[in-house]
Amino acid sequence: MTTPPSSPSSASARETTEGTVYTVTGGDWDEVVQSAAKADDERIVVNMGPQHPSTHGVLRLILEIDGETVTEARCGIGYLHTGIEKNLEFRNWTQGTTFVTRMDYLTPFFNETAYCLGVEKLLGITDQIPDRASVIRVLLMELNRLSSHLVCVATGGMELGATTVMIYGFRDRELILDAFELITGLRMNHAFIRPGGLAQDLPPGAMDKLAELLKTMRKNLPEYDKLATGNPIFKARMQDVGYLDLTGCMALGATGPVLRSAGLPHDLRKSDPYCGYETYDFEVPTADTCDSYGRFLIRLEEMRQSLDIVEQCLERLKKPGEVMVADKKIAWPAQLAIGADGLGNSLDHIKKIMGTSMEALIHHFKLVTEGFRVPAGQAYAAVESPKGELGAHVVSDGGTRPYRVHFRDPSFTNLQAMAAMCEGGQIADVIVAVASLDPVMGGVDR
């Protein structure tokens, strides 16, 4: 059965061995085109994306324009949908970290931390996490904040024609990814932060490499000020573009640099601290410009503050300690070492559990094959990601797998501000507004 062509959408059906299959066409795009066709003026509808170099991934923007002016802006999402939240229900709690790290792929350590903090709340072991594990979590998150902001500044600069900013940004990000690779074995998608602590401790030589990285980054960061901050062309392109005041931010739930560019110093590391952030000395930068330029300045200053936090972490890590909770019924038995066949459980650890400790062998077997049980209940844990509040709502039915995990991703929430930022402005300014939001579609679609 097919609906009449005049209908905003149509669906055709065909029978298959699996049952009836419906093919649906039309929808929002047809409605926009039809309403625009009825309008008695020069307005046209432009479909910007999902394949577009300036939409930060597969974001689709439906823009109604009158000449060069945007009269209506809407977001189309879902082109990168991975089903991560659903997949989590079919893996045990520890395996979940390998999924969540892939959501916002520019901030994997924040995804892992939010998820693990939620699981640890349900287990009731928040206060049992070793100090060293929390310090390394903070270290990795702040380095990750740097790498995420560098991508934002680099890609945003490239979209404005400032290609040198792009080259510098990716140059510096590469140094941080090298540090991640040294510590976790991977440049991204680490699954390194686990419920109860970490996969392993820092490897030999990591402290010296991180100290070198700090020196290099302190030398390189002022270059962005020289290139862009006072550059009259750069400023003119960003000032008063993507305007969103404090009232708009509060109404739309915007957080992170977008909210702080409106003058509110809201940062979960200060207002609702986790992982011991209340013991670190750092400032929360704000601006009162409410525009894209203010967000750029905030990200630059946040990178400097992150370097200060990393330095404090390195000082604390001089003292040795454990990186996984003591309870062997929860602690994933990852005594890792690099052998001839790559990274894996150390031979000494295998000999011990196979030859001398029946209890350790049983725990190992149960943890790897089944996983630990989490008491029934629900918990919400939030962290301050580079883009704003990243929260994990974790629900357990008392089993070895999550009943439901849902993330409040700041990229998704902040995209609501697109219409408020772009309508009434120029079509060229849409690019600047999107860049100042810094959305990552892996976090939006999940």
Side-chain angles (χ1 to χ4, degrees), residues 84 99-105 111 390 407 409 440 442-443 446:
I84 282 173
F99 281 111
V100 299
T101 190
R102 288 167 162 77
M103 294 189 312
D104 181 341
Y105 38 79
N111 302 333
L390 171 67
F407 277 82
D409 192 277
V440 171
R446 298 190 300 288

Side-chain angles (χ1 to χ4, degrees), residues 196-392:
L198 306 171
Q200 60 177 338
D201 204 343
L202 295 180
M207 295 283 284
D208 295 336
K209 289 282 186 185
L210 290 169
E212 272 178 49
L213 174 64
L214 266 183
K215 279 184 195 168
T216 308
M217 290 303 299
R218 288 202 189 281
K219 181 172 67 73
N220 290 355
L221 275 184
E223 293 176 352
Y224 297 91
D225 282 316
K226 292 176 187 172
L227 274 172
T229 302
N231 186 323
I233 301 171
F234 190 86
K235 286 173 73 172
R237 192 70 189 84
M238 297 187 83
Q239 284 179 326
D240 298 323
V241 173
Y243 185 88
L244 187 70
D245 62 13
L246 183 57
T247 306
C249 288
M250 299 300 282
L252 294 166
T255 52
V258 179
L259 178 60
R260 292 191 281 275
S261 71
L264 186 69
H266 175 70
D267 188 312
L268 289 172
R269 294 174 295 174
K270 292 283 191 186
S271 62
D272 190 11
Y274 50 94
C275 293
Y277 264 111
E278 66 275 14
T279 65
Y280 293 86
D281 183 25
F282 67 99
E283 301 297 323
V284 178
T286 60
D288 57 5
T289 58
C290 306
D291 62 7
S292 298
Y293 183 65
R295 288 165 211 143
F296 166 76
L297 294 180
I298 284 171
R299 288 186 175 103
L300 277 189
E301 182 55 34
E302 281 188 6
M303 286 196 271
R304 297 186 193 101
Q305 296 296 328
S306 289
L307 288 178
D308 290 344
I309 297 173
V310 170
E311 194 165 344
Q312 293 170 58
C313 288
L314 291 179
E315 189 61 37
R316 297 181 188 197
L317 288 172
K318 288 177 181 175
K319 191 168 64 176
E322 295 297 322
V323 295
M324 182 52 90
V325 71
D327 187 350
K328 292 299 181 187
K329 292 183 179 177
I330 295 171
W332 188 272
Q335 310 291 326
L336 302 180
I338 296 175
D341 57 347
L343 187 69
N345 276 313
S346 73
L347 200 56
D348 289 340
H349 177 61
I350 293 170
K351 280 178 182 173
K352 182 189 171 190
I353 66 172
M354 293 294 286
T356 62
S357 174
M358 176 59 75
E359 189 181 1
L361 180 60
I362 292 167
H363 286 320
H364 184 105
F365 182 78
K366 282 186 72 68
L367 278 172
V368 173
T369 57
E370 185 184 76
F372 50 78
R373 292 189 177 275
V374 172
Q378 57 182 329
Y380 177 77
V383 300
E384 185 69 33
S385 96
K387 300 165 180 66
E389 180 177 338
L390 171 67

Side-chain angles (χ1 to χ4, degrees), residues 4-19:
S6 59
S7 169
S9 64
S10 59
S12 58
R14 59 192 173 88
E15 297 297 328
T16 69
T17 54
E18 300 294 322

